[in-house]
Amino acid sequence: MSDGTALPPEDDAAARAAEAALPDLRRLECYWDELRAGRRVPQRRDVDPGRLEGLLPHAFLMQRVAPGVGRIRVAGQNLTRLFGMDPRGMPLSAFFGVDARETLGERLCDLFDGPSVVELPVASRRGLGRPRLSGRLMMLPLIGDDGLVS
C-alpha cells in the first residue's frame, strides 16, 4: 500500500466503504473519551484491550520518533494482512504515497503536539490485479509513562 493517499475517495463505492467504518471509529473514540476522565488526553497504561473487542484487528499503536514521524509499534491482524507483512517498526508514512506524506506529517504534528484527535480519509490506487481500497484513519493521542504524548 505504499501508493496510498490521504485524499477523499474518488467514487461512490469507495465513499460507501469509508462510511462503513464510522460506527467502529465512533466506538473507539467514545472509549478514548471515557478514558480521559476529565483530562485532556488519557494515559496509555489505562487502555484495556479487552474493551476493544472486534476493533483490535484494525488497530495499531504508534510511537513518535521525530516531529511529524510515527513508527508502528503494534499492528492488528487485518493491517498485517492488508500490508502483506508485519508493519512493526516501520514509519506510518511508508504506507502513503509521496504526495500524501507531507499532509500526514502535518497531521502527526497535530496529533502529538496539539495534542488532538486526527481523522483522515485514506484510499489506495487501483492497480493490476488490485482493487481500489478506501477507509478512514483515526489517530487518538495517549500519554506515555514519561508524561509525554509520544
Side-chain angles (χ1 to χ4, degrees):
M1 294 237 348
S2 62
D3 61 350
T5 62
L7 302 173
E10 297 171 357
D11 57 38
D12 290 340
R16 284 191 303 275
E19 290 295 316
L22 288 178
D24 285 342
L25 292 177
R26 297 292 79 86
R27 187 173 136 215
L28 181 62
E29 189 173 25
C30 284
Y31 176 60
W32 177 86
D33 195 47
E34 180 184 317
L35 288 176
R36 289 186 326 134
R39 300 171 295 190
R40 187 164 181 199
V41 176
Q43 299 283 320
R44 184 173 54 228
R45 68 175 168 252
D46 293 337
V47 175
D48 176 6
R51 296 276 312 271
L52 299 172
E53 187 175 336
L55 300 176
L56 288 177
H58 308 284
F60 64 92
L61 285 176
M62 177 177 54
Q63 179 180 15
R64 181 182 201 170
V65 293
V69 180
R71 179 180 17 219
I72 297 173
R73 293 188 59 191
V74 178
Q77 295 168 338
N78 285 351
L79 294 175
T80 298
R81 188 172 29 255
L82 179 66
F83 297 141
M85 64 181 169
D86 185 350
R88 284 183 294 181
M90 297 184 70
L92 183 62
S93 61
F95 301 101
F96 287 79
V98 174
D99 55 332
R101 290 180 183 165
E102 183 177 342
T103 299
L104 178 66
E106 290 168 0
R107 299 310 305 268
L108 287 173
C109 285
D110 294 342
L111 173 76
F112 294 121
D113 296 336
S116 63
V117 172
V118 172
E119 189 171 344
L120 298 167
V122 291
S124 69
R125 293 183 180 99
R126 186 181 333 260
L128 184 60
R130 187 181 66 208
R132 183 173 190 280
L133 301 173
S134 65
R136 303 218 36 100
L137 171 65
M138 178 187 287
M139 296 179 285
L140 302 165
L142 297 170
I143 295 176
D145 290 336
D146 58 3
L148 301 174
V149 176
S150 61

